[in-house]
Amino acid sequence: MFNGCSVHCSSVDMLLPPDEEKDPEVIPEDSSLLTLRIRKKALERREETIIVDRACRQETLAYEMESHAIGKRPDNPVDLVEEGELLLTLNIFYPVIFQKHKDHKPYQTVLVLGSQKLTELRDSISCVSDLQIGGEFSNQPDQAPEHISKDLYKSAFFYFEGIFYNDKRYPECRDLSRTIIEWSESHDRGYGNLQSAKMEDYTFNDLSLRIGFPYLFCHQGNCEHIIIITDIRLIHHDDCLDRNLYPLLIKKHWLCTRKCFVCKMYTARWVTNKDSLAPEDPCFFCDVCFRMLHYDAEGNKLGEFLAYPYVDPGIFN
Amino acid sequence: MRGVRREGGRGGGMCSVPGLQADCEALLGAFQEADTVRFERFAELWRERRFHAIFYGRIRALERNKFTKKTLELVQQYFLPPYAFQIRVGALYLLYGLYSTQLCQPKQKIRIALKDWPEVQRFQQDLIESQHYDAAYIFRKLRVARAFHFTAMPKLLNYRTKKKIQENEFKEEFKDPSNRVNSLITNDVLEELMNIHDHYQKMKCVISADKSQPDKALSLIKDEFVVNLKDITLEHQEWQQKRMKLFLNAKDADEIPNREEEGTSLASEGSERANALAKIKYRSYSAVAEASKSRRHRQVKLESSDSGSDYGKSQSRSRKNSKRPQAARNRGSAEIQGEMRTMKETLTRHVGMPVITEEETSDEEEVPLPKRKKRR
Ligand SMILES: [Zn+2]
Ligand SMILES: [Zn+2]
């Protein structure tokens, strides 16, 4: 007959290692486990071939990003995420489609609470095109950074399950989806009954969503991001329970930054075309080098060139 | 969420940690051979293998998280049908061992999908009712430790290139032996068949000359066919059980009480079957489903056969329901989107925008240090 006490007293102890085996860094010799024999070999190989483990730094950053908010609690109890709250994991893909990303499309991963409004996610999506500055500024470089696209074009929509959710919070917001719906209807494209709604009126709990299905976020008129929900689960005690930290970014693709052609050190802020002073076209410069090379002490333009403010995709790194 | 539909099936391969599946199956196999569900015995087998060391080695934190997640994901599958009762108990202990000895901080959680939760609760109920208190206790410990994530899907979707995704292969020896036949011929099905058959007989009587029995000309079906079907099912199970040599050790001490009630478990032959046939005739259809559960480890048998009868039904929610073609289509449309974008990019050239060519160097290897935003 089974003796209950032997479990109750020491169920974990019954599985724990003898004291001499408590260093988790060291794989025990003569282990019968296949997993460990394979790992031991793999680790030995790694140590032999790589002197400096280059993956290390990137991995440390990725780990830091994945775990930085875990277990956080709000200062104000009002902001505590309640038990039973839903947590969604979204992959938001970058719009930049370079050839080299054909197989691995870059994306960022965010956690959103079911009770959050779609607009909260919208405001958290950082995209270079929001910082894009239109126009050629070689004659007045000082005026360039003042109006960025995010302030100019506030319209945006999500597309989930046949419904366009338009951001209508500001009077200057346009219904970007109207053209699409009209196009669909006028040609009877077989997309059924497309509808539009206000983004600010809906939370994720209000939606009926499919895991793994590609949805869309569109802003700046034509900057399109595919959104895929990869997981939905109940919130857990170990999660970040500070409502203010959601949507929570937990993973992103590290985009390379374009360096200044002159100093090779700072991230490019300007790009020039038809530049008589530059060795290549287009040519990238940081702000300091750009001004030093292209203007005299009084700020007069030197030589012929077209200059555009440049926002590097790696700016969010 | 108003409705969460599932899409894309079970993403990802079974397990990409080399050797892990073999190690886990070896441990579960040994537990099966030990022919018990006692935690004490499991702990012995675990210690013999020094299984706690499965997490050892110089592994970086990110890698460790991933590896631990995959380990729990792998073992979690043995905790659910179609695996036999004993394997499921073994998997419960294994999950407990892995969860407790993992080195992640905070601990990685065990995913339980919404659709599997009723099954897990039923399992827990079974443990208690059959007085496997050690197993019930271990389950309770996991609950109290908040070891579970309650999820919409069994696995976190991950997107890798298609060829890496492989269908899971279940270990045949661990499966509940009578599973497929059992899921097809449930108590309900037999009950239904019996009713239809009765009804059919009555209909034939009504249109016959002699109202008390049907005309010979209408005799197109064997009267005893429900009983025969039952008989065939039993025979098949017996055959399968013999072939698998599962739990045929009569020495099992746990099992002695209530043998009579457990007669339909098909461990013994002859009289048991006659017994079962008699039961059928009395329209007591508890046999098939009960037998399937391989509950010979139970000390006390469930009073009602109801809990058994929906067991088969839960099986019919097949794991094969995954919508792979759909997933493939999604991928395709994303591809098209991508192509359309590149097309659009080459076509539309905004006025006031610079001409920038794509850089050749890969950006993935080189990681810039997090820099202060150099604005202005
Ligand atoms: Zn964008
Ligand atoms: Zn520079």
Side-chain angles (χ1 to χ4, degrees):
Chain A
M1 208 54 216
F2 151 66
N3 174 4
C5 184
S6 67
V7 185
H8 288 246
C9 305
S10 56
S11 57
V12 180
D13 294 349
M14 287 167 80
L15 305 175
L16 284 181
D19 283 340
E20 70 269 20
E21 250 177 47
K22 273 185 171 158
D23 183 3
E25 295 264 289
V26 182
I27 296 178
E29 296 292 331
D30 72 300
S31 173
S32 62
L33 297 172
L34 183 61
T35 313
L36 289 182
R37 294 205 302 270
I38 295 172
R39 184 181 304 148
K40 202 175 176 102
K41 264 198 197 123
L43 289 175
E44 278 165 7
R45 218 177 308 129
R46 191 195 277 180
E47 264 156 38
E48 272 168 26
T49 51
I50 306 165
I51 305 136
V52 186
D53 211 333
R54 293 196 66 190
C56 234
R57 190 174 47 167
Q58 185 163 12
E59 247 194 58
T60 311
L61 291 171
Y63 177 72
E64 168 61 22
M65 174 146 265
E66 186 181 278
S67 56
H68 75 280
I70 281 175
K72 281 207 174 149
R73 299 291 181 267
D75 296 331
N76 186 345
V78 179
D79 298 322
L80 186 75
V81 176
E82 281 170 38
E83 221 172 304
E85 177 76 89
L86 284 184
L87 187 70
L88 292 82
T89 308
L90 309 181
N91 281 353
I92 301 169
F93 288 77
Y94 292 90
V96 272
I97 310 285
F98 295 131
Q99 266 308 301
K100 64 190 168 205
H101 292 141
K102 226 170 54 193
D103 297 321
H104 286 277
K105 295 197 169 60
Y107 62 87
Q108 57 185 36
T109 304
V110 293
L111 301 178
V112 191
L113 298 172
S115 63
Q116 286 192 296
K117 288 183 172 175
L118 303 189
T119 39
E120 293 179 70
L121 174 65
R122 185 255 189 277
D123 292 340
S124 80
I125 296 174
S126 51
C127 172
V128 225
S129 75
D130 280 333
L131 301 180
Q132 224 55 256
I133 304 142
E136 196 278 313
F137 288 90
S138 63
N139 288 314
Q140 59 281 62
D142 289 334
Q143 286 177 19
E146 284 180 10
H147 23 84
I148 63 168
S149 301
K150 196 170 195 167
D151 303 325
L152 285 177
Y153 314 106
K154 288 184 170 157
S155 316
F157 69 78
F158 286 107
Y159 174 77
F160 295 114
E161 299 292 322
I163 302 171
F164 293 93
Y165 296 90
N166 289 289
D167 189 349
K168 301 292 276 286
R169 287 174 294 175
Y170 311 100
E172 62 268 41
C173 284
R174 292 192 304 134
D175 182 348
L176 287 178
S177 68
R178 210 176 50 218
T179 340
I180 305 173
I181 294 176
E182 279 167 6
W183 170 83
S184 168
E185 280 169 358
S186 67
H187 294 79
D188 195 18
R189 298 277 167 169
Y191 290 105
N193 206 5
L194 294 174
Q195 291 166 15
S196 73
K198 284 183 184 171
M199 191 192 288
E200 58 272 30
D201 289 351
Y202 287 85
T203 67
F204 285 91
N205 283 340
D206 298 328
L207 308 182
S208 181
L209 296 166
R210 275 185 275 184
I211 291 174
F213 198 82
Y215 298 118
L216 193 66
F217 171 64
C218 178
H219 66 138
Q220 298 301 334
N222 68 351
C223 184
E224 296 173 348
H225 301 247
I226 301 276
I227 294 185
I228 291 175
I229 297 161
T230 57
D231 197 23
I232 301 176
R233 65 170 172 85
L234 287 177
I235 199 88
H236 187 278
H237 189 257
D238 285 347
D239 289 320
C240 165
L241 295 185
D242 184 350
R243 181 168 287 279
N244 294 317
L245 296 177
Y246 291 94
L248 179 67
L249 184 64
I250 57 160
K251 181 187 164 139
K252 69 179 155 198
H253 185 92
W254 298 91
L255 292 163
C256 122
T257 49
R258 256 179 231 261
K259 299 280 185 283
C260 165
F261 184 84
V262 180
C263 63
K264 307 260 195 266
M265 204 156 98
Y266 293 112
T267 307
R269 300 266 292 124
W270 292 90
V271 56
T272 61
N273 288 146
K274 300 184 178 142
D275 190 344
S276 56
L277 299 168
E280 51 191 46
D281 191 2
C283 195
F284 296 85
F285 302 95
C286 74
D287 199 47
V288 174
C289 297
F290 169 73
R291 286 166 193 267
M292 222 178 332
L293 186 66
H294 293 87
Y295 301 90
D296 65 19
E298 277 73 51
N300 297 311
K301 188 174 167 181
L302 306 172
E304 279 307 306
F305 61 92
L306 298 169
Y308 307 85
Y310 173 74
V311 183
D312 195 273
I315 197 154
F316 298 113
N317 280 358
Chain B
M1 200 94 346
R2 245 188 326 121
V4 175
R5 270 176 286 164
R6 242 173 265 123
E7 205 65 48
R10 303 156 74 90
M14 176 76 154
C15 177
S16 49
V17 184
L20 184 67
Q21 188 170 350
D23 285 333
C24 290
E25 287 185 350
L27 179 57
L28 288 174
F31 187 61
Q32 188 178 45
E33 237 160 74
D35 201 13
T36 173
V37 291
R38 297 284 74 84
F39 180 74
E40 247 176 324
R41 185 75 187 102
F42 175 85
E44 275 169 34
L45 294 168
W46 168 287
R47 283 196 306 268
E48 267 169 32
R49 287 166 173 74
R50 287 178 292 176
F51 217 85
H52 66 275
I54 203 91
F55 296 113
Y56 282 19
R58 288 178 54 102
I59 310 172
R60 291 188 295 263
L62 191 74
E63 213 180 330
R64 186 194 297 140
N65 276 358
K66 236 182 249 172
F67 161 64
T68 308
K69 233 178 256 178
K70 277 178 186 155
T71 305
L72 294 172
E73 190 178 88
L74 172 82
V75 176
Q76 187 258 19
Q77 298 180 75
Y78 299 105
F79 180 48
L80 296 167
Y83 291 109
F85 181 72
Q86 202 202 359
I87 290 298
R88 293 180 64 189
V89 175
L92 170 67
Y93 294 154
L94 187 49
L95 280 174
Y96 174 72
L98 293 168
Y99 182 80
S100 314
T101 58
Q102 64 166 300
L103 301 163
C104 298
Q105 206 47 254
K107 289 189 189 301
Q108 294 298 315
K109 305 298 184 285
I110 302 158
R111 291 174 66 91
I112 300 280
L114 203 59
K115 71 168 178 67
D116 295 326
W117 186 241
E119 178 58 50
V120 171
Q121 280 182 310
R122 212 174 301 141
F123 181 72
Q124 185 198 13
Q125 202 53 42
D126 286 350
L127 291 178
I128 293 167
E129 282 174 35
S130 51
Q131 296 180 12
H132 293 314
Y133 292 132
D134 49 352
Y137 173 76
I138 292 293
F139 182 76
R140 173 125 190 89
K141 279 208 87 169
L142 284 173
R143 284 296 319 261
V144 171
R146 304 182 213 254
F148 297 107
H149 265 166
F150 299 102
T151 64
M153 295 260 291
K155 287 182 180 181
L156 185 67
L157 271 192
N158 56 3
Y159 288 85
R160 291 270 148 245
T161 28
K162 261 250 206 64
K163 47 188 173 248
K164 284 194 184 168
I165 297 171
Q166 59 199 18
E167 208 32 73
N168 297 340
E169 272 181 42
F170 291 106
K171 197 167 164 67
E172 200 63 37
E173 300 91 299
F174 288 178
K175 274 193 205 168
D176 215 339
S178 51
N179 191 274
R180 284 194 205 111
V181 171
N182 179 44
S183 62
L184 201 64
I185 306 168
T186 62
N187 295 343
D188 288 351
V189 168
L190 283 175
E191 180 95 40
E192 183 78 12
L193 276 176
M194 184 63 112
N195 286 336
I196 292 170
H197 192 67
D198 281 357
H199 191 65
Y200 180 56
Q201 287 297 108
K202 277 181 201 140
M203 289 291 282
K204 284 197 287 189
C205 289
V206 169
I207 58 166
S208 296
D210 175 3
K211 301 290 181 203
S212 68
Q213 79 179 82
D215 283 349
K216 279 241 170 67
L218 294 173
S219 181
L220 302 168
I221 189 168
K222 282 181 185 147
D223 267 356
E224 296 286 285
F225 102 97
V226 180
V227 177
N228 287 340
L229 179 61
K230 166 75 175 171
D231 208 16
I232 289 163
T233 316
L234 293 178
E235 231 171 305
H236 172 74
Q237 285 184 354
E238 237 172 291
W239 167 78
Q240 209 172 20
Q241 231 158 358
K242 262 188 186 162
R243 192 185 58 139
M244 299 262 188
K245 291 182 179 152
L246 272 179
F247 317 132
L248 280 183
N249 191 345
K251 284 177 290 182
D252 192 347
D254 286 350
E255 192 221 339
I256 287 159
N258 304 310
R259 175 171 282 280
E260 202 174 329
E261 267 174 286
E262 280 202 299
T264 50
S265 74
L266 297 175
S268 40
E269 296 165 48
S271 65
E272 306 287 2
R273 207 163 84 210
N275 215 351
L277 288 170
K279 274 189 180 170
I280 283 273
K281 291 194 171 137
Y282 290 110
R283 308 184 123 230
S284 159
Y285 291 99
S286 62
V288 175
E290 277 306 302
S292 76
K293 293 170 118 178
S294 303
R295 294 281 168 69
R296 290 178 59 254
H297 298 280
R298 296 175 151 217
Q299 294 158 355
V300 175
K301 194 155 158 342
L302 292 177
E303 287 300 314
S304 114
S305 60
D306 293 350
S307 70
S309 67
D310 50 11
Y311 189 79
K313 267 185 277 177
S314 76
Q315 296 304 300
S316 60
R317 279 186 284 119
S318 162
R319 283 159 187 278
K320 294 246 166 77
N321 274 345
S322 64
K323 296 177 183 164
R324 290 214 169 274
Q326 181 77 55
R329 220 164 52 218
N330 297 346
R331 206 178 297 270
S333 74
E335 217 103 276
I336 291 162
Q337 285 271 9
E339 276 167 27
M340 279 168 64
R341 271 211 67 84
T342 9
M343 247 169 62
K344 208 160 58 184
E345 270 161 7
T346 52
L347 287 178
T348 54
R349 190 100 279 162
H350 294 273
V351 195
M353 286 297 183
V355 182
I356 301 176
T357 48
E358 187 179 329
E359 238 173 3
E360 265 107 57
T361 52
S362 166
D363 59 6
E364 264 124 296
E365 286 93 272
E366 196 70 45
V367 185
L369 280 172
K371 51 183 75 69
R372 279 154 288 169
K373 254 173 233 165
K374 186 175 139 314
R375 316 220 58 193
R376 187 171 20 132

